[in-house]
Amino acid sequence: MEYPQFLVIDASSYELDGHPIAIAWSLTDGTIKSTLLQPEENWHEWDIGLEDLHGMTQEILIQSGEPVWEAVKEFEFDCENSIYLVQDGERTMELLERMYDAYDKEPGADLIGIHEWHPSETEERYQLMEDIRSDLELSPYRCEDNVRLMLEMWVRVNDAEHRSPAND
């Protein structure tokens, strides 16, 4: 089975000047890739309150994170169709652009927000998300878990469409 590609980027803060701290994306075979990101020298915004949620400190990112440019190269290499499905298109694009801006480049990926690729009403969609998170014990604060969540949502919606009497 071939899957659409999904993308999630975690940020250092909910503020506009928050910077990417981790990125996860999926391949068309459903494989999920993720990496922590070393902050660029001019990336200073940090919300200490998010450390417990992400389980991440600035020190961990500096010591264990991958240089942003290396993550961008790997992401570009894996981008098979240049379209990624995301939860929040606007915020994800802001963070992706911030990664690319560090190297005077522009992202070539197009992002499609969840309200466009998942057809259900907001309340139904969020209930499905919570059910999947609970079933699979996924954290809402880990980007790779959120990619897995979106993959599972896509599979369930598409399985339901294929089993629908209207498609018989």
Side-chain angles (χ1 to χ4, degrees):
M1 173 180 262
E2 189 166 300
Y3 302 95
Q5 291 184 276
F6 296 90
L7 170 66
V8 174
I9 303 173
D10 286 340
S12 64
S13 167
Y14 292 124
E15 302 300 321
L16 288 178
D17 57 351
H19 60 81
I21 62 169
I23 182 172
W25 65 92
S26 64
L27 306 179
T28 57
D29 68 358
T31 301
I32 297 171
K33 297 177 91 174
S34 66
T35 189
L36 299 177
L37 301 170
Q38 284 179 358
E40 292 292 308
E41 288 183 18
N42 61 341
W43 291 358
H44 301 292
E45 177 65 28
W46 187 262
D47 183 342
I48 194 116
L50 292 180
E51 285 186 1
D52 288 337
L53 293 177
H54 287 297
M56 195 66 46
T57 65
Q58 288 177 310
E59 293 76 28
I60 290 173
L61 293 176
I62 291 167
Q63 293 173 4
S64 303
E66 187 172 327
V68 173
W69 183 239
E70 292 298 319
V72 166
K73 286 193 304 188
E74 186 175 353
F75 173 72
E76 285 183 338
F77 179 79
D78 290 338
C79 189
E80 296 180 36
N81 59 20
S82 78
I83 298 172
Y84 281 86
L85 305 184
V86 299
Q87 290 176 329
D88 179 346
E90 186 175 328
R91 181 64 172 156
T92 303
M93 184 54 83
E94 288 169 359
L95 293 166
L96 190 60
E97 286 174 345
R98 189 118 195 238
M99 290 174 65
Y100 277 78
D101 284 348
Y103 299 96
D104 295 323
K105 291 189 72 170
E106 291 186 23
D110 292 320
L111 307 181
I112 300 173
I114 194 169
H115 60 280
E116 295 177 58
W117 65 264
H118 193 279
S120 66
E121 295 296 321
T122 303
E123 187 174 319
E124 180 185 338
R125 181 171 52 237
Y126 286 109
Q127 184 59 53
L128 176 61
M129 290 170 73
E130 289 307 310
D131 291 347
I132 293 170
R133 270 196 187 103
S134 177
D135 291 349
L136 300 178
E137 299 179 359
L138 301 175
S139 168
Y141 306 108
R142 295 182 51 116
C143 58
E144 60 271 16
D145 282 358
N146 283 311
V147 168
R148 173 91 189 275
L149 170 71
M150 290 188 292
L151 271 165
E152 292 292 331
M153 287 178 66
W154 186 85
V155 167
R156 290 184 188 190
V157 166
N158 285 289
D159 280 351
E161 286 177 2
H162 289 112
R163 285 182 273 149
S164 170
N167 292 325
D168 290 337

